[in-house]
Structures are given as C-alpha cells and as structure tokens.
Amino acid sequence: MDRSKITWIIGLLGVGYTIALTLVIVGCVEENVYWILFLLFPYVFTPTMTIFMPSDAEDDNFWMQFALFVMAVSLVSAFAMPLVFWSTGGIQAAGLGYGLGASFTLYIFMSAAGYIAVKED
C-alpha cells in the first residue's frame, strides 16, 4: 500500500472521529445528560477489531469471523443505543439527533476509508 493511500485512510478516520466525538460531547453538554457517552464503546471496538483480521484470511478463519461479528454488533449498537436511551427517557430529541448524527458520520467516514484501503489502483 502506498503512502498516499495510507495518508487518505488516516485522514478520513481522523476527520470522522473528530466530527463524531464533537457531536457526542455537544449532545452531552447541551442537555447536561451524559448517557450518550456510552457510544464511545462501539466507536472504539469497531476499528480495533481490524487487528484480528489478517489481510490474507479466508472466510472460515476463526479470527476473521470473530472480528466481523464484533464489528457487526458494534455497528448495530452505535445506532441502537441512542434510540434506546431516547425511548426510555434518558435523553431528549436533541441528544438523539446528536447521537445518531455522530454514528452516521463516523461510519460514513469509516466506510470511505475502507473503500480506499481495498480499492485497486
């Protein structure tokens, strides 16, 4: 992988995390309710699972399946947590918007970085 690809990947992930964390913090401060900070767990688990994904792994590899499972659970959790907090009255509509906006933004930037990583030159 050449340096320009790595630079784009790191740049996209950095911008995505910066925007998402800003939205999470603003959502917490605006309502003075800090339930939205639980979104940090799926935000951390999703990229760390790439450690278990070797580049030459086949589909029947245990670590590949484990990493994909944890990434799927993290993805669902990132969007489900704000909805659960909102439906139980833990956060208001503004917090729901900030939480879902943060998750959407982060996973769009992660998808773009993943696309650049696997794209052929």
Side-chain angles (χ1 to χ4, degrees):
M1 188 178 301
D2 60 342
R3 288 184 78 105
S4 64
K5 262 190 177 183
I6 294 172
T7 304
W8 271 102
I9 291 168
I10 292 172
L12 284 171
L13 291 177
V15 169
Y17 269 100
T18 302
I19 294 170
L21 292 178
T22 302
L23 288 173
V24 166
I25 291 170
V26 168
C28 291
V29 170
E30 183 175 316
E31 296 183 0
N32 203 18
V33 177
Y34 297 95
W35 286 105
I36 303 172
L37 287 177
F38 279 107
L39 287 175
L40 296 178
F41 291 115
Y43 291 172
V44 170
F45 284 138
T46 302
T48 55
M49 285 299 111
T50 57
I51 295 169
F52 295 107
M53 298 174 70
S55 59
D56 58 347
E58 303 211 2
D59 288 338
D60 59 351
N61 185 351
F62 170 75
W63 290 111
M64 181 75 152
Q65 295 297 320
F66 173 73
L68 291 175
F69 173 75
V70 172
M71 287 173 69
V73 168
S74 297
L75 178 69
V76 170
S77 297
F79 289 99
M81 274 191 215
L83 293 170
V84 170
F85 295 150
W86 177 69
S87 67
T88 58
I91 60 174
Q92 302 300 320
L96 174 67
Y98 282 119
L100 289 176
S103 295
F104 182 74
T105 303
L106 180 62
Y107 285 102
I108 287 294
F109 277 94
M110 278 187 178
S111 299
Y115 174 74
I116 289 174
V118 299
K119 182 179 79 167
E120 296 292 327
D121 291 330

